[in-house]
Amino acid sequence: MVPCWNHGNITRSKAEELLSRTGKDGSFLVRASESISRAYALCVLYRNCVYTYRILPNEDDKFTVQASEGVPMRFFTKLDQLIEFYKKENMGLVTHLQYPVPLEEEDAGDEPEEDTEGITSPPELPPRNILSYETKEFPASLESARAPEVNRPSPSETLLQRLQTVDTSGLPEEHLKAIQDYLSTQLLLDLEFVKTGSGSLPHLKKLTTLLCKELYSEVLRTLPSLESLQRLFDQQLSPGLRPRPQVPGEANLANMVAKLSQLTSLLSSIEDKVKTFLSEGPEASHRRSLIPPVTFEVKAESLGIPQKLQLKVDVESGKLIIKKSKDGSEDKFYSHKKILQLIKSQKFLNKLVILVETEKEKIQRKEYVFADSKKREGFCQLLQQMKNKHSEQPEPDMITIFIGTWNMGNAPPPKKITSWFLSKGQGKTRDDTADYIPHDIYVIGTQEDPLGEKEWLEILRHSLQEITSMTFKTVAIHTLWNIRIVVLAKPEHENRISHICTDNVKTGIANTLGNKGAVGVSFMFNGTSLGFVNSHLTSGSEKKLRRNQNYMNILRFLALGDKKLSPFNITHRFTHLFWLGDLNYRVELPTWEAETIIQKIKQQQYTDLLSHDQLLTERKEQKVFLHFEEEEITFAPTYRFERLTRDRYAYTKQKATGMKYNLPSWCDRVLWKSYPLVHVVCQSYGSTSDIMTSDHSPVFATFEAGVTSQFVSKNGPGTVDGQGQIEFLRCYATLKTKSQTKFYLEFHSSCLESFVKSQEGENEEGSEGELVVKFGETLPKLTPIISDPEYLLDQHILISIKSSDSDESYGEGCIALRLEATETPLPIHTPLTHHGEMTGHFRGEIKLQTSQGKKREKLYDFVKTERDDSSGLKSLRSLTSHDSGKQWEPAGRPGDLGKNTVEACPQDDLQPTKPEMFENPLYGSVNSFPKPVPRKEQESPKLLRKEPPSCPDPGLLSPSIVLTKAQEGEGGKGPGKQAPVPPVCPAPRLRSFTCSSSAEGRVASGDKSQGKPKAPAGSQAPVPAKRPIKPSRSEMSQQQSGSLSMPPTPSPRPPLPVKSPAVLHLQHSKSRDYRENTELPHHGKHRPEEGPLSRTTMQ
């Protein structure tokens, strides 16, 4: 039986919390060490401080305590004996052990209620996944089962005897001698490395390098020939893509494995390409993969007169063609080199400025207004694709990633699932014009997946080939019972992806069943690390705390990414980390409100329901997914539907224990966390409406993510560039801890030769019981391996603050080197977290020195968001649509230079600038005004700003956290903190998240009752007319009293005139000024009153 004081794998912070609760000197507990395997940590409370002592095993598996200096070491065969001994006084500890802290009682009724309907047994899978996991999990028990042998021969003797029985006649003499030398002498040296906990076998690596020396040179000679042959048949090759030169590296084992892997994949790829070439001809596949020209209808203004134009985007030829009519002749065109930048208006979501270079090398600014913001986004994506395709850069600066998650409900999928990969359905969806642009990487996570790996993979590849005409390469596939993750990539990225790693964690009943848990995949894309986690957490509305614990366990034990980053969990190991799956967080409302919830879903009043979403609430309280981001939810709950329909939710289930309720909830989610100041934009987030075989709907999210190339130093391989230097000045850490140990820092980065350790800092008492560790000027200067600014400014430094007594990390953070200036000290700040919990802050200054050179502009800087004049914007921004290309910055984030160099908003403008969810025209394609706002919402402006709960407080968050609109509205917690709302006019509430024929009928009737004509398609540009728009009192009273069918009182400039579409269009044309806001004659005069009208026109 486990003693009550042995708490196993609890975290250090949890141990401190348990000891602090007792408040008695001499209270103690034992936990597993976080820094050394098979070791323990003895935690003792004395004078309100926690002291930690390491309990280390020796070669004979006897335990000893690292106590004070001068105290003799004592060895114990069992932990119980060690604890009994140190209960005596004056044995070397700060105080003797007196009061064991017992384990917290767990809810005994929690586990058996786990929904085990589909857990009869694990599915039939390749044995490697389960067997390897079990073997890894229980090595100690297997060893203890073996009976001890007398006079057992040494490993060297055993292997030398085996060598005698092996036929070595075909081995070269020098190879045989090298093997014999290794077995007789060097094997024992490697054994010492293993005993010390090292995973390195240096002498074995020397042996294999010697044996493969000739093979390595032969592979290097063969690879260029195979790559040239592959390129002949590579029909997806982009015009700007050129082969990378082969840089001969050192003939070590890692390089050997990489080259052999590359060789085998090339041989397989060549065979596939030749088959395709012979069966379909030289042009067939290339012709299908082309992106056809797409035409957009826009409005522009010439000499004050608005006119319609046609913008034709020809990605393949690299041209933007401007025509006056769709079938007319070409007016003028601009090549991709002449198109310098696209600037999206932050205020008017369908307005776009294009900077072009004229023949006289002058920069011209052209403004266009699209039919809606969705069309603008599609246009920008096509122009970005054109720029990428014809770029002279051999490696990409950005890629697009599709993330999909679907609980399949143990049912096979329908024949057609392409809408999932095209991001079609409800929510923030992709414009049809972007359908021809394939994503670079597709990540598909499934839960309750009844199919075999091979069968599911074939369905996915066939579906992607149907919509992209490409045969995608399988990067990785990993399965834990019915939880599966698949990663597919474009063929052209095959040689850019390396260091692929997969793992899984079980969180089912007793953490031993794999019906719940997570699977993960990580890899390097050139110089950028990417991680993907697909999880299926505990079900049941009341199991919120257990879901939180599932998340923490996955965070701690999922082994992905660079193993050198052992002090850091997966949230710090990757440039971009994406977390998807059936997270099972529910809408926390009483069961008797089920029908009310259904009605709100039908009316698309998602804001009210999201305020009760468990995941948003837990994130706001910093209990789970700390510093993660999630795009705004504008689609219906994805669970629990009646199968084969999406019109009805089945929220009751009869069980042996009684009726069980599953209220409609957003169980299926996609979140992400990226390093600070790294380009990442969520372009779509929604759910499908036509895949109905499961009680869950598939969810999709697409991202544009910045990546870096594998930079080659100009000084050649193997040399350290001495011109660069990273210097930390006046730094200190604030920690939430009761410990009184000394602390030091570790700096980790791919730009450093190895990690760097600092001297111990000086401890001081901080406010509210926090500990302040000051490092002053003692921190070491870091020397990067490459000092070129193009490389160095893309790098990040990971910081871990560790205790001197146990070498355990008390907090980790990340510092971006993308600084506004070099050679001068600049302030830095990063939150410190450990195992998903907030543990403190790290602050100071940084001084970066680089070599001479200029950082080139990235391809993703081609599209930027214009920071509109902030005067008068507060009221308008709160009522206009969300810009998908803009990430809203919280306090403390200096602005994402990768996305926008001019966007960093003032801190006090932060909350008012968040627009409302239901105004976003990206979330559906409705061609008429929606249903009018209910009377209650017209009477109370505050109801319009009711938002779901927010994420953690921005003041305490990482620079990488981005608040959603939902979070900011609730953050004010009172009318005094919200933006002033202008007088409310009868503005219809946009409900354009779903696309259905019945919605249009309801919209039409709503317009009729209001006496407002349906605007023609050509006049739906969401820009407010330049005229007074404040509604008259008579009109306000008219609408609030219910007399909405009467036309408004005639006036010289009525806010919402009842006229024919032609007159209405003419009126818009005369009144709209498309110049910059600063050029308007009465700039700012009527700005606060433009908001309400913009709500009626923006769509």
Side-chain angles (χ1 to χ4, degrees):
M1 184 172 175
V2 179
C4 66
W5 40 259
N6 190 343
H7 289 242
N9 270 320
I10 66 167
T11 62
R12 176 196 51 76
S13 57
K14 184 66 176 177
E16 289 189 5
E17 180 188 334
L18 292 174
L19 288 167
S20 298
R21 277 189 213 163
T22 63
K24 296 180 181 179
D25 286 355
S27 299
F28 71 95
L29 60 82
V30 174
R31 60 177 173 83
S33 170
E34 293 181 359
S35 57
I36 301 176
S37 60
R38 297 176 57 239
Y40 297 90
L42 172 61
C43 304
V44 186
L45 183 71
Y46 182 64
R47 294 183 179 176
N48 204 32
C49 294
V50 176
Y51 294 81
T52 304
Y53 300 92
R54 276 197 294 201
I55 302 176
L56 302 174
N58 65 3
E59 295 178 355
D60 300 325
D61 284 335
K62 292 187 176 181
F63 299 103
T64 182
V65 173
Q66 283 188 335
S68 306
E69 292 184 10
V71 177
M73 296 180 67
R74 293 179 174 85
F75 295 93
F76 306 90
T77 55
K78 295 182 179 179
L79 278 178
D80 305 47
Q81 298 173 357
L82 183 148
I83 297 299
E84 287 301 320
F85 177 81
Y86 283 101
K87 286 183 178 179
K88 303 173 187 176
E89 296 185 11
N90 302 321
M91 289 295 135
L93 304 184
V94 65
T95 184
H96 61 290
L97 309 181
Q98 299 179 62
Y99 311 106
V101 177
L103 289 161
E104 283 190 317
E105 290 186 11
E106 295 185 4
D107 184 3
D110 181 60
E111 294 289 2
E113 291 197 17
E114 180 79 29
D115 191 1
T116 56
E117 284 184 356
I119 312 180
T120 52
S121 63
E124 294 184 10
L125 300 173
R128 57 183 174 82
N129 284 346
I130 294 177
L131 291 179
S132 62
Y133 189 82
E134 299 297 337
T135 306
K136 180 176 70 176
E137 196 173 21
F138 304 110
S141 61
L142 293 176
E143 288 180 7
S144 60
R146 296 173 187 157
E149 299 179 15
V150 183
N151 297 328
R152 187 170 53 186
S154 68
S156 293
E157 293 172 350
T158 303
L159 292 172
L160 283 170
Q161 289 174 6
R162 289 183 185 176
L163 184 63
Q164 301 298 324
T165 62
V166 175
D167 181 14
T168 58
S169 58
L171 269 64
E173 188 176 341
E174 61 273 17
H175 286 189
L176 180 60
K177 187 175 185 304
I179 294 172
Q180 291 172 339
D181 290 345
Y182 174 76
L183 295 179
S184 58
T185 58
Q186 298 165 357
L187 179 68
L188 296 176
L189 299 177
D190 277 349
L191 184 61
E192 293 300 319
F193 278 91
V194 174
K195 286 184 177 179
T196 57
S198 171
S200 174
L201 300 174
H203 298 91
L204 178 62
K205 287 182 179 179
K206 287 181 182 177
L207 173 64
T208 52
T209 301
L210 174 65
L211 299 181
C212 299
K213 187 176 180 181
E214 294 179 8
L215 176 61
Y216 186 77
S217 59
E218 192 63 30
V219 168
L220 279 179
R221 194 172 68 86
T222 307
L223 272 177
S225 305
L226 290 175
E227 286 181 338
S228 299
L229 180 60
Q230 182 198 36
R231 283 195 297 275
L232 289 175
F233 296 96
D234 192 349
Q235 313 202 29
Q236 311 287 349
L237 196 64
S238 300
L241 185 65
R242 290 185 293 275
R244 290 180 291 175
Q246 290 289 337
V247 180
E250 184 185 351
N252 56 33
L253 184 60
N255 284 342
M256 187 68 234
V257 171
K259 293 295 180 185
L260 282 174
S261 174
Q262 189 178 349
L263 178 66
T264 53
S265 63
L266 271 174
L267 290 171
S268 173
S269 173
I270 289 171
E271 185 178 358
D272 292 341
K273 290 181 189 300
V274 172
K275 284 179 182 177
T276 305
F277 180 88
L278 295 175
S279 61
E280 299 183 0
E283 298 297 328
S285 180
H286 180 64
R287 186 168 55 251
R288 286 201 313 271
S289 67
L290 298 180
I291 299 174
V294 181
T295 302
F296 296 82
E297 184 177 287
V298 298
K299 287 183 181 179
E301 190 172 86
S302 176
L303 301 176
I305 302 173
Q307 59 177 341
K308 289 185 179 180
L309 293 175
Q310 307 290 327
L311 300 184
K312 183 178 179 182
V313 183
D314 192 338
V315 173
E316 300 302 328
S317 65
K319 289 181 181 179
L320 173 62
I321 301 163
I322 302 174
K323 300 192 296 182
K324 290 184 178 177
S325 63
K326 193 168 187 178
D327 301 321
S329 59
E330 183 179 306
D331 188 14
K332 63 175 70 172
F333 76 88
Y334 297 97
S335 70
H336 64 93
K337 291 184 178 179
K338 298 293 184 181
I339 306 171
L340 304 180
Q341 196 164 63
L342 305 182
I343 303 174
K344 298 192 287 190
S345 171
Q346 179 179 318
K347 180 179 176 184
F348 304 112
L349 299 181
N350 60 342
K351 174 183 164 185
L352 182 70
V353 175
I354 305 179
L355 298 184
V356 295
E357 184 181 331
T358 62
E359 296 176 357
K360 298 178 181 179
E361 296 187 354
K362 290 183 179 180
I363 296 177
Q364 204 170 35
R365 183 183 175 96
K366 294 183 172 291
E367 287 191 13
Y368 299 103
V369 176
F370 289 76
D372 54 45
S373 61
K374 208 170 175 183
K375 292 294 180 190
R376 184 186 76 171
E377 291 301 312
F379 178 84
C380 290
Q381 289 179 30
L382 284 168
L383 264 281
Q384 181 76 72
Q385 182 76 4
M386 178 201 292
K387 206 73 174 173
N388 295 351
K389 194 176 187 75
H390 297 278
S391 167
E392 295 179 357
Q393 296 296 330
E395 295 300 322
D397 288 331
M398 53 165 280
I399 57 174
T400 59
I401 302 172
F402 172 91
I403 307 284
T405 175
W406 183 24
N407 184 318
M408 299 175 69
N410 289 309
K415 292 182 179 179
K416 196 173 183 65
I417 57 173
T418 51
S419 62
W420 191 16
F421 307 116
L422 289 171
S423 302
K424 302 296 183 188
Q426 303 182 33
K428 184 178 177 181
T429 57
R430 223 177 173 201
D431 188 62
D432 293 342
T433 55
D435 286 353
Y436 298 101
I437 307 175
H439 296 289
D440 296 281
I441 295 171
Y442 287 82
V443 181
I444 299 97
T446 51
Q447 310 84 37
E448 298 183 20
D449 186 342
L451 305 181
E453 285 187 352
K454 189 174 181 181
E455 184 182 2
W456 180 233
L457 190 59
E458 189 62 34
I459 291 172
L460 294 178
R461 294 181 68 176
H462 177 75
S463 298
L464 289 178
Q465 189 162 28
E466 183 180 339
I467 60 176
T468 66
S469 303
M470 284 186 181
T471 303
F472 278 76
K473 290 292 180 182
T474 305
V475 175
I477 181 168
H478 192 65
T479 307
L480 171 68
W481 285 33
N482 296 99
I483 309 169
R484 177 174 297 144
I485 188 168
V486 179
V487 181
L488 304 169
K490 275 184 181 178
E492 65 193 63
H493 298 318
E494 190 174 0
N495 295 332
R496 295 183 175 121
I497 293 174
S498 62
H499 299 81
I500 301 167
C501 181
T502 60
D503 195 29
N504 61 64
V505 171
K506 299 173 183 175
T507 63
I509 295 176
N511 287 336
T512 57
L513 290 186
N515 63 304
K516 296 292 190 288
V519 290
V521 172
S522 66
F523 55 87
M524 295 291 294
F525 186 95
N526 281 345
T528 301
S529 54
L530 301 174
F532 304 93
V533 179
N534 171 31
S535 63
H536 191 186
L537 306 186
T538 299
S539 61
S541 180
E542 71 285 358
K543 306 280 184 65
K544 175 176 64 177
L545 298 180
R546 177 145 181 81
R547 282 189 280 277
N548 293 356
Q549 189 58 51
N550 289 166
Y551 164 77
M552 293 295 185
N553 289 343
I554 295 166
L555 208 61
R556 289 186 65 187
F557 302 118
L558 195 64
L560 295 174
D562 188 354
K563 300 300 186 289
K564 294 178 184 176
L565 299 176
S566 56
F568 305 91
N569 62 39
I570 57 174
T571 62
H572 278 110
R573 291 191 181 191
F574 304 106
T575 312
H576 303 287
L577 173 65
F578 298 91
W579 197 303
L580 55 140
D582 180 0
L583 305 185
N584 255 322
Y585 286 93
R586 308 301 175 92
V587 172
E588 198 162 13
L589 284 171
T591 56
W592 59 82
E593 290 196 26
E595 282 304 319
T596 305
I597 293 171
I598 300 292
Q599 289 305 313
K600 287 188 176 182
I601 293 171
K602 287 180 179 178
Q603 297 167 11
Q604 298 171 6
Q605 295 180 10
Y606 304 137
T607 308
D608 294 341
L609 298 180
L610 285 167
S611 64
H612 300 281
D613 178 75
Q614 290 178 339
L615 180 56
L616 289 177
T617 304
E618 296 300 285
R619 287 180 60 209
K620 178 182 177 181
E621 296 175 3
Q622 300 191 6
K623 293 180 179 178
V624 72
F625 287 100
L626 185 63
H627 300 162
F628 274 79
E629 303 171 36
E630 183 183 23
E631 182 62 21
E632 180 191 13
I633 294 176
T634 55
F635 50 92
T638 56
Y639 176 79
R640 178 179 184 251
F641 287 103
E642 284 189 16
R643 296 180 189 242
L644 305 182
T645 179
R646 295 296 93 156
D647 297 330
R648 292 185 299 277
Y649 287 91
Y651 56 83
T652 59
K653 179 193 281 187
Q654 187 65 48
K655 303 190 75 174
T657 54
M659 185 68 73
K660 181 179 179 181
Y661 284 83
N662 287 299
L663 297 181
S665 299
W666 287 275
C667 292
D668 310 283
R669 311 286 273 267
V670 178
L671 300 96
W672 78 94
K673 183 178 185 292
S674 298
Y675 282 168
L677 302 188
V678 171
H679 178 76
V680 58
V681 176
C682 182
Q683 295 180 320
S684 66
Y685 189 34
S687 65
T688 64
S689 303
D690 59 346
I691 301 175
M692 301 178 286
T693 52
S694 170
D695 50 4
H696 291 252
S697 283
V699 167
F700 53 79
T702 59
F703 296 87
E704 187 181 274
V707 293
T708 58
S709 61
Q710 292 175 323
F711 197 89
V712 179
S713 172
K714 298 178 176 63
N715 297 331
T719 61
V720 176
D721 193 335
Q723 299 181 42
Q725 190 169 268
I726 306 165
E727 191 173 356
F728 289 91
L729 306 168
R730 293 175 283 280
C731 293
Y732 65 94
T734 307
L735 298 176
K736 299 175 183 177
T737 180
K738 296 284 185 181
S739 179
Q740 286 297 308
T741 180
K742 291 288 187 180
F743 293 92
Y744 64 90
L745 291 174
E746 277 187 2
F747 300 94
H748 295 250
S749 177
S750 57
C751 70
L752 303 176
E753 192 74 33
S754 62
F755 78 89
V756 178
K757 184 177 175 180
S758 77
Q759 297 179 5
E760 292 179 350
E762 294 297 326
N763 293 356
E764 293 182 6
E765 286 293 332
S767 60
E768 301 179 2
E770 293 180 330
L771 182 69
V772 178
V773 185
K774 292 192 173 182
F775 295 95
E777 310 296 330
T778 62
L779 292 178
K781 296 178 181 179
L782 309 180
T783 303
I785 54 176
I786 301 172
S787 62
D788 191 301
E790 185 180 337
Y791 165 83
L792 199 55
L793 293 179
D794 279 334
Q795 303 304 308
H796 293 79
I797 303 290
L798 295 176
I799 294 175
S800 172
I801 181 164
K802 290 187 168 184
S803 65
S804 299
D805 57 7
S806 61
D807 293 323
E808 291 181 327
S809 178
Y810 276 57
E812 304 93 48
C814 181
I815 301 290
L817 296 185
R818 183 173 291 187
L819 305 175
E820 296 175 1
T822 56
E823 310 293 340
T824 56
L826 294 172
I828 54 170
H829 163 251
T830 180
L832 296 175
T833 63
H834 186 61
H835 291 326
E837 298 175 344
M838 195 78 176
T839 59
H841 296 268
F842 180 82
R843 293 181 174 88
E845 293 181 347
I846 188 172
K847 184 179 177 182
L848 181 64
Q849 180 179 331
T850 65
S851 62
Q852 296 298 318
K854 187 178 180 182
K855 182 174 172 62
R856 67 173 177 84
E857 191 168 6
K858 302 289 187 179
L859 286 173
Y860 49 73
D861 290 330
F862 173 63
V863 181
K864 295 192 177 182
T865 301
E866 186 173 49
R867 181 182 175 184
D868 296 302
D869 195 339
S870 60
S871 63
L873 273 179
K874 293 186 178 181
S875 61
L876 183 63
R877 279 180 181 167
S878 65
L879 298 170
T880 53
S881 318
H882 173 54
D883 182 357
S884 70
K886 164 71 181 168
Q887 296 284 10
W888 296 90
E889 309 288 344
R893 182 168 183 169
D896 193 333
L897 304 181
K899 288 175 285 193
N900 186 2
T901 57
V902 292
E903 85 231 17
C905 301
Q907 183 174 337
D908 42 5
D909 283 352
L910 211 66
Q911 286 188 335
T913 60
K914 283 307 272 187
E916 285 196 343
M917 160 176 105
F918 48 73
E919 282 294 323
N920 195 337
L922 287 177
Y923 301 146
S925 55
V926 178
N927 295 324
S928 58
F929 290 144
K931 195 172 180 179
V933 179
R935 181 181 170 190
K936 284 185 180 179
E937 297 184 11
Q938 293 179 3
E939 293 172 352
S940 175
K942 281 187 285 185
L943 287 178
L944 293 175
R945 297 190 55 80
K946 187 173 183 181
E947 307 282 5
S950 68
C951 289
D953 182 6
L956 300 174
L957 295 186
S958 158
S960 63
I961 186 78
V962 173
L963 297 177
T964 64
K965 296 183 279 296
Q967 298 152 0
E968 290 214 7
E970 195 75 4
K973 294 282 182 186
K977 293 187 180 181
Q978 293 189 3
V981 180
V984 178
C985 74
R989 181 171 182 172
L990 284 181
R991 302 191 187 282
S992 56
F993 315 129
T994 57
C995 308
S996 63
S997 57
S998 60
E1000 293 187 11
R1002 291 195 302 271
V1003 167
S1005 64
D1007 288 342
K1008 185 176 180 181
S1009 66
Q1010 288 279 5
K1012 299 171 193 169
K1014 182 175 177 181
S1019 63
Q1020 288 187 11
V1023 286
K1026 196 184 99 180
R1027 59 177 181 270
I1029 57 171
K1030 186 173 181 179
S1032 63
R1033 292 186 179 180
S1034 61
E1035 185 186 356
M1036 289 285 287
S1037 61
Q1038 230 178 25
Q1039 287 154 356
Q1040 291 178 354
S1041 63
S1043 304
L1044 300 178
S1045 60
M1046 295 179 63
T1049 306
S1051 61
R1053 293 180 182 177
L1056 292 171
V1058 181
K1059 297 182 180 179
S1060 68
V1063 175
L1064 183 62
H1065 172 64
L1066 185 61
Q1067 197 171 41
H1068 274 290
S1069 304
K1070 287 180 179 178
S1071 60
R1072 173 67 183 126
D1073 193 333
Y1074 287 91
R1075 292 174 292 167
E1076 279 295 281
N1077 299 329
T1078 52
E1079 299 175 17
L1080 297 178
H1082 301 289
H1083 175 58
K1085 185 174 180 180
H1086 299 295
R1087 186 66 58 85
E1089 297 163 351
E1090 289 179 4
L1093 183 62
S1094 70
R1095 296 190 66 206
T1096 67
T1097 57
M1098 281 201 176
Q1099 181 149 286

